[in-house]
């Protein structure tokens, strides 16, 4: 879906590059059919891989029993083993109609993939990466899109440099960002949904609130976080400890509080990324079945990409985190902002921003943050360097690749 949105962006630039593309039409229906077919193809591949590995697949809902040994029951049949792994993932958080009247009239990111047509009018609620990605895709493909956020910027857990720039890019691209706002109620009319918002002015000391509505909404999408898939597992029978949000508590080796039961992935509530779950699972398998007793995943310095417009790449500590852990006097920041060469002759402009977070006299690079064209593909290589302990001097000694945006990281002063 993001690739389709990128195509839509480039269409705006074709005339600047001398192409007369005429009247171009977009079909959500064709894209959805091809995407769904591809996902079905992937599902078959994964299932075939399980079969080839002679792994028994049991379909059903598992729940732990109160047997003396760790045991799960599926479809009335009990299963036990020396090692039981919980990897049930997570699901989008939802609000009840008691919390926000009419909340159930909206969908989540799961429902997004069931949309049969492109909504003419969309409202996205949330400030995290899923909200940012959904707003970008829908807006770029032609849906008039509003993004409702509780504070003044999106991606508040990211470096402030990224948060500020991404919020600006969303607004520049045509997304209507409602800051300091929350949904008060939702109701259905003969012209679509009517979303009522309450907005507070943080500059005013009074508690005065503005009540406004967005009308004729075709798609209201809640992207307000995720919750672990632990409901119904009956993990309390196994005395498996969870936090206040239901995430399973594990140690550095993925052990739960009950011997023989382990957990990896989103159900643990840490670094909610597919490659992280895969890596943690592999490390656990090495420890349990190959005798590598010290095998565990290093959760530090995990690279992350947000498929916004333009994309974001980030790895390591934010400036704020570095200052808190090392002290402001031991942190040095290098940053730049520029217009990528691609946009030199386009009327549509988008900045590229980059930041290095360095610590100590040796200026070890502990954080790298960027947003701009190609940043999604740039990040992996830089993540390797940072994982290996690269310093600013190592970056400086690397010859620049010209003309590219990535060369800015090795020429910063």
């Amino acid at each position: 879906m993001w690739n389709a949105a990128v195509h839509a962006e480039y269409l705006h630039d074709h005339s600047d590059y001398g192409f007369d593309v005429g009247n171009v039409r977009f079909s959500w229906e064709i894209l959805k059919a091809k995407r769904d077919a591809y996902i079905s193809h992937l599902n078959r591949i994964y299932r075939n891989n399980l079969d080839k590995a002679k792994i028994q697949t049991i379909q059903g809902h598992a729940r732990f029993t109160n047997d003396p040994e760790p045991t799960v029951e599926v479809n009335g049949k009990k299963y036990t083993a020396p090692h039981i792994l919980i990897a049930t993932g997570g699901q989008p958080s939802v609000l009840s109609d008691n919390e926000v009247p009419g909340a159930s009239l909206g969908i989540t990111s799961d429902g997004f993939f069931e949309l049969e047509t492109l909504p003419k009018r969309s409202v996205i609620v949330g400030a995290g990466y899923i909200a940012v990605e959904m707003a970008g895709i829908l807006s770029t493909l032609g849906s008039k899109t509003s993004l409702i956020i509780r504070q003044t910027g999106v991606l508040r857990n990211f470096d402030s440099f990224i948060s500020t720039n991404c919020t600006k890019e969303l607004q520049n691209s045509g997304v209507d960002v409602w800051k300091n706002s929350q949904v008060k109620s939702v109701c259905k009319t003969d012209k679509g949904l009517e979303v009522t918002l309450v907005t507070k002015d943080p500059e005013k000391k009074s508690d005065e609130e503005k009540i406004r509505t967005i009308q004729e909404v075709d798609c209201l999408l809640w992207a307000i976080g995720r919750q672990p898939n632990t409901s119904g597992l009956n993990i309390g029978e196994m005395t498996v400890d969870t936090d206040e949000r239901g995430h399973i508590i594990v140690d550095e080796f993925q052990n739960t509080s009950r011997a023989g039961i382990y957990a990896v992935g989103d159900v643990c509530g840490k670094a909610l990324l597919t490659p992280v779950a895969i890596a943690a699972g592999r490390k656990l398998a090495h420890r349990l079945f190959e005798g590598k007793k010290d095998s565990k995943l290093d959760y530090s310095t995990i690279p992350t990409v947000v498929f916004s417009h333009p994309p974001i790449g980030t790895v390591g500590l934010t400036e704020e985190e570095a200052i808190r852990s090392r002290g402001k006097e031991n942190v040095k920041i290098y940053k730049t902002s520029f217009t990528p060469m691609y946009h030199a002759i386009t009327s549509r402009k988008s900045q590229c921003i980059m930041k290095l977070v360095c610590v100590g006299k040796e200026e070890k690079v502990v954080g790298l943050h960027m947003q701009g064209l190609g940043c999604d593909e740039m990040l992996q290589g830089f993540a390797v360097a940072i994982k290996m302990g690269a310093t600013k001097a190592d970056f400086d000694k690397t010859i620049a690749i010209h003309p590219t945006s990535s060369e800015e990281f090795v020429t910063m002063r």
Side-chain angles (χ1 to χ4, degrees):
M1 302 303 290
W2 181 79
N3 284 333
V6 170
H7 273 285
E9 285 186 302
Y10 286 165
L11 285 172
H12 295 296
D13 307 328
H14 282 174
S15 60
D16 290 319
Y17 274 93
F19 292 92
D20 182 5
V21 295
N23 184 28
V24 178
R25 296 176 60 191
F26 167 68
S27 172
W28 178 280
E29 293 77 9
I30 290 175
L31 176 62
K32 182 181 185 300
K34 292 198 170 206
R35 182 202 66 206
D36 292 351
Y38 178 64
I39 292 173
S40 296
H41 174 63
L42 290 178
N43 289 337
R44 287 192 297 273
I45 290 174
Y46 291 133
R47 180 57 189 266
N48 289 339
N49 287 341
L50 290 173
D51 293 341
K52 288 176 184 176
K54 293 181 170 51
I55 294 172
Q56 181 186 10
T57 302
I58 304 162
Q59 291 190 329
H61 293 280
R63 63 184 299 276
F64 284 94
T65 67
N66 58 3
D67 290 83
E69 296 299 317
T71 303
V72 294
E73 182 178 327
V74 186
N75 301 327
K77 186 175 180 180
K78 291 184 178 181
Y79 302 86
T80 188
H83 307 293
I84 296 179
L85 172 64
I86 302 172
T88 50
Q91 61 185 330
S93 299
V94 293
L95 294 174
S96 69
D97 288 339
N98 289 330
E99 294 171 296
V100 174
S104 60
L105 294 169
I107 63 172
T108 65
S109 54
D110 290 346
F112 170 82
F113 291 96
E114 298 171 5
L115 292 174
E116 296 292 340
T117 58
L118 174 66
K120 292 182 179 178
R121 186 73 172 90
S122 301
V123 172
I124 315 297
V125 185
Y129 74 92
I130 293 176
V132 167
E133 290 178 349
M134 292 295 172
I137 290 168
L138 286 167
S139 175
T140 306
L141 289 178
S143 179
K144 181 174 172 53
T145 303
S146 296
L147 181 63
I148 316 303
I149 61 177
R150 289 183 298 174
Q151 297 186 36
T152 57
V154 298
L155 304 177
R156 294 188 302 275
N157 292 330
F158 286 65
D159 192 279
S160 58
F161 193 48
I162 295 296
S163 174
T164 300
N165 192 73
C166 186
T167 305
K168 182 183 72 174
E169 287 286 358
L170 282 165
Q171 292 173 302
N172 290 346
S173 68
V175 175
D176 185 19
V177 180
W178 293 61
K179 300 178 181 179
N180 305 303
S181 300
Q182 297 185 65
V183 177
K184 183 178 177 68
S185 64
V186 185
C187 65
K188 195 170 186 177
T189 72
D190 56 355
K191 293 184 178 181
L193 300 180
E194 184 176 281
V195 182
T196 300
L197 306 173
V198 56
T199 302
K200 289 186 176 181
D201 186 346
E203 300 299 322
K204 294 183 178 179
K205 295 181 180 179
S206 67
D207 293 330
E208 182 182 350
E209 298 177 341
K210 286 184 179 179
I211 306 295
R212 292 177 286 181
T213 62
I214 302 175
Q215 299 179 338
E216 300 183 25
V217 175
D218 302 300
C219 174
L220 168 64
L221 193 152
W222 299 99
I224 53 175
R226 294 182 66 80
Q227 60 190 34
N229 275 328
T230 51
S231 177
L233 283 179
N234 201 31
I235 55 178
E237 286 288 353
M238 291 291 98
T239 62
V240 172
D241 292 340
T242 60
D243 65 17
E244 65 278 1
R245 295 188 60 195
H247 294 112
I248 296 175
I249 298 173
V250 294
D251 64 12
E252 60 185 338
F253 292 99
Q254 310 299 148
N255 298 310
T256 70
S257 55
R258 177 67 183 265
I261 300 179
Y262 318 90
V264 301
D266 289 12
V267 75
C268 303
K270 187 177 182 181
L272 311 184
L273 299 164
T274 301
V276 172
I278 293 171
R282 284 178 176 160
K283 293 290 187 181
L284 178 62
H286 293 326
R287 181 169 69 86
L288 296 181
F289 304 114
E290 293 184 351
K292 298 178 180 178
K293 60 186 179 75
D294 294 324
S295 178
K296 63 181 179 179
L297 180 63
D298 179 6
Y299 280 86
S300 67
T301 322
I302 293 173
T304 302
V305 164
V306 179
F307 289 98
S308 50
H309 297 269
I312 291 166
T314 177
V315 59
L317 300 180
T318 66
E319 179 180 348
E320 296 82 2
E321 289 169 340
I323 289 173
R324 280 198 301 270
S325 63
R326 299 297 296 270
K328 190 171 184 178
E329 68 280 5
N330 296 312
V331 176
K332 186 164 184 180
I333 303 299
Y334 297 87
K335 59 185 178 181
T336 186
S337 176
F338 58 94
T339 301
M341 183 172 285
Y342 172 85
H343 286 302
I345 61 172
T346 63
S347 54
R348 182 179 71 93
K349 302 293 184 185
S350 179
Q351 288 288 102
C352 184
I353 66 165
M354 295 176 168
K355 173 190 270 192
L356 289 177
V357 180
C358 304
V359 298
K361 291 181 179 178
E362 73 279 18
E363 292 194 351
K364 180 180 179 180
V365 182
V366 296
L368 180 149
H369 312 278
M370 55 181 164
Q371 181 174 19
L373 285 177
C375 286
D376 50 328
E377 293 290 353
M378 285 183 218
L379 181 63
Q380 193 74 74
F382 285 115
V384 172
I386 292 173
K387 194 74 173 176
M388 293 176 69
T391 63
K392 179 64 169 61
D394 292 323
F395 274 59
D396 294 342
K397 285 185 288 187
T398 304
I399 300 299
I401 303 170
H402 184 76
T404 65
S405 292
S406 58
E407 69 177 302
E408 295 291 330
F409 272 126
V410 299
T411 57
M412 284 187 182
R413 293 291 181 267

